Structure formats: structure tokens, C-alpha cells
Amino acid sequence: QVQLVESGGGLVQPGGSLTLSCTPSGLTLNDYSIGWFRHAPGKEREVVSCISSSDSSTYYAESKKGQFTISRDSAKNTVYLHLGSLKPEDTAVYYCAVVHEPSGTGLCVAGNGMDYWGKGTLVTVSD
């Protein structure tokens, strides 16, 4: 049974940073794209960033370029999302998800046909 386990969420002050991690069990991240999505109260779920395990290509939502950084440690079979310069509007539940995608991140960015989802980790940005 495949499970994606996210960690690293929490309460942080505006301007602070967090690093989220996503580690799958029962799945090796080869030929998969891994994405981070978020769902804020009253808003639709949105894709934040994706990374390809095959060609290491990445995608960022336009508003998050330069603020968030996605990375992958193949030895640990883990994907990270560093959240920098956090703002109250970044408050959301952050989910990681994977989709079988031999190259690129197109399927991940579309977000509709992800193969597996984690349960999410809450990030709260507040004083």
C-alpha cells in the first residue's frame, strides 16, 4: 500500500520559513513527478510546485517563483519544499502528490490525475 507522508508544517511568523518534506512508503520515486499543492480556507486547491524525478525539471506557480524551492533527495526518496518569506496568505494545508510521468511535469501541474496523495500538513503564518 502506497502512502505519502508529509511533515514540517507548523506555525510561523510572517517573514519566516519552513521546509516541508514528503516521503512515500511503498513507492520509489522513479519516473514520477512529485507535486506540492495547497488548499486554503475559502479557496480552491492550487498547485504550488512540481519536480520530475526523471529529468529534474521543475515548475513553480508564478506567484511562488523565488519564494519557494522544491528539491529532491533520491537517496532518501524524499521531496522537499522550502517555503521562504512566508506571508499570512500562504496559510493553507499543503499536500504532496505523485503521478507517473516519465519526463517533465505537465501531468503534475495539471493536478487532475495524480496517482497518490498525502494527508496534508498545515502551515499557519501568523503573528
Side-chain angles (χ1 to χ4, degrees):
Q1 183 178 0
V2 175
Q3 289 185 324
L4 303 182
V5 180
E6 303 105 331
S7 63
L11 174 64
V12 63
Q13 292 184 334
S17 63
L18 287 173
T19 298
L20 310 181
S21 63
C22 174
T23 303
S25 61
L27 178 74
T28 301
L29 293 172
N30 294 330
D31 292 335
Y32 278 86
S33 289
I34 306 91
W36 286 96
F37 301 78
R38 70 183 185 182
H39 194 182
K43 296 184 179 180
E44 294 187 354
R45 187 188 70 199
E46 61 177 342
V47 59
V48 175
S49 183
C50 294
I51 187 168
S52 168
S53 66
S54 301
D55 57 25
S56 297
S57 57
T58 59
Y59 165 86
Y60 293 95
E62 190 64 31
S63 63
K64 297 298 130 190
K65 290 180 180 178
Q67 183 187 357
F68 292 177
T69 304
I70 194 168
S71 61
R72 173 177 166 257
D73 186 331
S74 58
K76 295 183 177 179
N77 202 39
T78 297
V79 172
Y80 304 94
L81 184 69
H82 178 74
L83 315 177
S85 303
L86 283 163
K87 308 168 188 176
E89 52 263 40
D90 292 315
T91 295
V93 178
Y94 285 72
Y95 300 88
C96 74
V98 299
V99 61
H100 186 259
E101 185 165 24
S103 66
T105 59
L107 292 178
C108 178
V109 174
N112 293 327
M114 305 304 284
D115 293 324
Y116 303 102
W117 288 86
K119 293 183 178 180
T121 184
L122 177 62
V123 172
T124 303
V125 185
S126 175
D127 288 317

